[in-house]
Amino acid sequence: MGKVYTVDICGRKEDLPVLPLPAGINIAFFNLHGDVELTEYCAKKLAERIQKYSPEVLITAESKGLQLTHCVAREMGHKHYAVVRKSKKLYMQDGIEIQAKTITTGEVQKLYLSAHDVELIEGKKVAIVDDVISTGAANAALEALVTAAGGTVVCRAFVLAEGDAKDKEGIEYLAAIPLL
């Protein structure tokens, strides 16, 4: 295995591979895809942190936040959660969209919210849930979509806060990791 960064997530140690990004920096890459035990663990810990905000709806962006948010929703007794897509599907013609440039992709992309999820969010208290916050660009895009849908963001919750994100006001996270 190449270089790794070990992070302590509420008492659970995880070795994250160090990977280069197109922007010329390295990150400790956190991947929940396919790891049932880690996803369940992080979801339980995040649900405990989010509970005090009493959100009525959770929202995440595909793809790495999907299984995490599913598990957080289950832990909190929610039957539904909203999903922001990175491509516009046939059933999303009446939804809303926004542009964002994140550290991971390095280029501008469009994010879409279906009309169904807009209705789910309208007039509700919403918690944003995702795996990692870094520059905050993806979070800002999700906040803009929640606002456009008529919801109010009451919580922003992440497994990891990367770089200076740990110093951002108004976020909950389980552990901090550096940009390398």
Side-chain angles (χ1 to χ4, degrees), residues 20-93:
L21 290 180
I25 58 172
N26 293 323
I27 61 168
F29 183 67
F30 182 65
N31 186 12
L32 289 172
H33 284 313
D35 193 328
V36 175
E37 187 178 301
L38 179 59
T39 300
E40 294 283 347
Y41 177 83
C42 292
K44 182 176 174 125
K45 296 295 185 185
L46 274 182
E48 291 169 1
R49 299 262 177 108
I50 293 171
Q51 203 70 266
K52 65 186 173 190
Y53 298 97
S54 302
E56 299 165 281
V57 178
L58 306 178
I59 188 170
T60 194
E62 67 176 4
S63 75
K64 291 190 334 182
L66 286 174
Q67 67 269 21
L68 176 66
T69 305
H70 177 94
C71 294
V72 172
R74 186 186 62 235
E75 286 285 327
M76 296 182 72
H78 290 207
K79 291 184 179 184
H80 301 282
Y81 57 94
V83 178
V84 175
R85 303 291 305 257
K86 295 179 182 175
S87 61
K88 192 173 195 176
K89 306 301 180 191
L90 184 61
Y91 67 90
M92 302 178 83
Q93 300 309 309

Side-chain angles (χ1 to χ4, degrees), residues 95-114:
I96 55 178
E97 66 183 64
I98 197 161
Q99 290 187 347
K101 181 179 180 180
T102 66
I103 191 171
T104 309
T105 59
E107 52 191 56
V108 175
Q109 60 183 346
K110 287 187 178 180
L111 300 174
Y112 304 90
L113 190 62
S114 71

Side-chain angles (χ1 to χ4, degrees), residues 124-146:
K124 302 278 184 20
K125 296 186 295 184
V126 180
I128 294 171
V129 178
D130 211 346
D131 61 338
V132 179
I133 182 169
S134 187
T135 64
N139 179 67
L142 291 178
E143 286 195 44
L145 282 169
V146 169

